[in-house]
Amino acid sequence: MNRNVTIPVDHGLSERELDLQRRAREYVEEVLIPLEEEAELLHGHLPEATVRTVKEKALEAGLAGGLHRPENGGQGWSKVEWFLVEEQLGRSTNAISWHIPNGYNVWDHASPAHVERWLKPLLRGEIRDAYAVTERGAGSDPSGIETTAARTDAGFRINGEKWFVTSGDVASVLVVMANLEEDGELLPTLFVVDKSLPGIETIEDPGFTHSYPDGHPTIRFEDVEVGPDDVIGGIGGGDEVQKAWFAEERLGIAARGIGSMWRLLDETSGWALEREQGGSRIMDYQGVSFPLADSTADAAAGRLLTLEVARMIDAGADPKVCHNKASMAKLFVSEAAWRCADRCVQIFGGRGYRRDNVAERFLRELRVDRIWEGTSEIQRLIIARGLERRGVEALLR
């Protein structure tokens, strides 16, 4: 790695923000990156003692539960502060950062009882959660969701099947999107579901391209009984809460993608400046230097766009415009980051095809960013609808 690379300080960041950025950088360099090759060899599953260390170091560095309220065990970060940390976490491979104690943003809408039972233990690193939304016939379009909930004397009964439930194999609690049948209407609602309840079955746990610590299983819910208060965001409020979740997740993918490009360009340019072929450094050949230049421009542009969206959210800008612009950031960065990884593998040559090479791991890992939390095609639809409904000026200013 080229250790001469420093964190830029000319983006109008406060001392608090710069300190947080430095702490995150040190954590990634000292804790996460040294574990990458071991995690790859173990298909993402590090020893339990190592995982405990990853959690403890994150808690010591004040990196756990970043966006959650301090009184609940979080850090109370702004979106800009969160961006700065996510960007640094994106510099590491194998999703080792998933072990950092955290919880989905939907818990901000949870009752005090759920905060005590689920969120606080999540932020202490004692348990994990999972968000169950996608189904066989319903991905980014929630109108296709077939999972249902029906009222009972004791609360609600849930039936359905969820696909790609990230961390569903290790979670203690699930947040499940279901349509509540009420007076002839289907009301999209988020339910808190204890994973240990009867009627919950993992029916498939497929392997995927990346070597990550958690799986993405298919989970079936058959007459699963939950209590009357096991709802987040109110009856029928699932869509609005989920939109905020999608916007945040898409912004996070963009932030981490920028970090990935940062690391890729760091390592690959360092290699290109040292490696010689035909009596010259390979950086002196335009076939090497121009792709790196293109990806550097992509990374810089993506960083400015994503940071601006974070600042807009902090300033209280129109949530619909922020949603559109988060889609722009996710689309641009996820596509650019994968191109960057592909270029870097090519520059490393045969070495770039080895799993102990960071470019090879990123090539596999970044591919899914163009798919999950809404494919690139879905992001284009969202942006196009934003143009139609809000106009060019709203999306560019």
Side-chain angles (χ1 to χ4, degrees):
M1 180 182 294
N2 180 4
R3 296 290 180 180
N4 293 322
V5 173
T6 57
I7 295 174
V9 297
D10 57 346
H11 291 292
L13 300 179
S14 68
E15 281 302 315
R16 170 188 161 94
E17 290 164 343
L18 289 169
D19 176 66
L20 179 58
Q21 188 184 47
R22 282 191 290 266
R23 279 190 279 128
R25 176 68 175 252
E26 289 173 3
Y27 176 79
V28 170
E29 297 280 354
E30 297 171 8
V31 179
L32 301 186
I33 289 178
L35 294 172
E36 290 176 340
E37 291 185 29
E38 180 184 1
E40 183 62 37
L41 289 171
L42 296 172
H43 305 287
H45 302 291
L46 290 166
E48 194 173 314
T50 303
V51 172
R52 278 199 304 272
T53 298
V54 171
K55 291 180 181 180
E56 290 166 1
K57 294 292 186 182
L59 289 164
E60 290 171 10
L63 301 177
L67 288 171
H68 290 284
R69 299 183 185 93
E71 60 266 30
N72 294 333
Q75 307 299 326
W77 292 338
S78 67
K79 276 294 194 293
V80 167
E81 291 171 327
W82 174 74
F83 162 83
L84 294 171
V85 173
E86 290 295 303
E87 178 183 45
Q88 292 304 313
L89 296 180
R91 297 181 65 254
S92 62
T93 65
N94 297 89
I96 304 168
S97 61
W98 285 10
H99 294 301
I100 297 174
N102 208 349
Y104 282 105
N105 69 352
V106 298
W107 294 107
D108 289 342
H109 302 273
S111 68
H114 283 140
V115 167
E116 289 296 326
R117 184 179 180 189
W118 300 116
L119 180 58
K120 290 185 178 181
L122 283 166
L123 301 187
R124 292 194 295 264
E126 296 168 3
I127 59 172
R128 299 285 301 280
D129 61 350
Y131 203 141
V133 178
T134 305
E135 298 183 4
R136 182 190 297 270
S140 298
D141 181 6
S143 66
I145 286 176
E146 296 181 351
T147 298
T148 62
R151 287 191 184 272
T152 67
D153 292 339
F156 304 93
R157 180 180 297 115
I158 299 173
N159 282 280
E161 186 177 292
K162 295 294 185 180
W163 283 46
F164 308 126
V165 184
T166 299
S167 305
D169 55 333
V170 297
S172 298
V173 60
L174 308 173
V175 178
V176 181
M177 173 66 90
N179 282 316
L180 177 64
E181 301 172 352
E182 196 97 297
D183 298 326
E185 289 187 74
L186 294 178
L187 304 175
T189 304
L190 292 173
F191 292 91
V192 178
V193 181
D194 186 332
K195 178 82 178 303
S196 67
L197 288 173
I200 299 175
E201 179 187 6
T202 296
I203 60 174
E204 186 185 21
D205 194 2
F208 288 86
T209 303
H210 49 227
S211 299
Y212 280 7
D214 303 347
H216 314 273
T218 303
I219 299 178
R220 179 177 295 154
F221 302 84
E222 188 170 348
D223 292 333
V224 177
E225 302 278 353
V226 299
D229 299 322
D230 287 331
V231 172
I232 287 182
I235 300 298
D239 276 350
E240 286 305 310
V241 175
Q242 188 159 286
K243 284 178 184 176
W245 172 73
F246 267 130
E248 182 177 297
E249 290 291 308
R250 289 163 182 166
L251 201 62
I253 286 171
R256 292 188 295 275
I258 295 159
S260 301
M261 285 192 279
W262 189 336
R263 171 95 179 276
L264 282 162
L265 291 165
D266 183 3
E267 301 242 5
T268 310
S269 62
W271 162 257
L273 288 166
E274 294 176 359
R275 176 69 167 170
E276 292 189 2
Q277 288 287 291
S280 298
R281 305 173 309 172
I282 63 172
M283 182 66 108
D284 296 326
Y285 297 106
Q286 291 179 356
V288 170
S289 60
F290 280 16
L292 289 174
D294 286 341
S295 283
T296 301
D298 284 342
R303 188 170 199 268
L304 290 173
L305 171 60
T306 309
L307 186 55
E308 178 61 17
V309 180
R311 285 175 169 152
M312 287 177 64
I313 295 171
D314 285 339
D318 183 346
K320 292 181 179 179
V321 174
C322 292
H323 187 201
N324 289 146
K325 298 195 81 163
S327 287
M328 292 166 61
K330 197 264 191 187
L331 171 64
F332 181 83
V333 175
S334 64
E335 295 281 344
W338 196 82
R339 287 197 304 270
C340 180
D342 186 53
R343 291 164 176 165
C344 291
V345 166
Q346 192 71 16
I347 291 167
F348 275 110
R351 291 170 175 81
Y353 209 57
R354 293 171 49 143
R355 290 202 171 198
D356 59 359
N357 184 290
V358 68
E360 189 277 341
R361 295 195 299 276
F362 271 131
L363 186 72
R364 284 182 287 116
E365 295 178 11
L366 289 168
R367 184 61 182 85
V368 74
D369 285 351
R370 296 162 60 195
I371 298 172
W372 58 11
E373 320 312 0
T375 63
S376 290
E377 291 72 27
I378 288 294
Q379 306 313 315
R380 291 183 176 102
L381 282 173
I382 293 169
I383 297 163
R385 287 171 183 163
L387 283 172
E388 178 184 359
R389 295 169 184 172
R390 283 169 275 284
V392 174
E393 185 174 346
L395 268 62
L396 293 186
R397 67 186 175 193

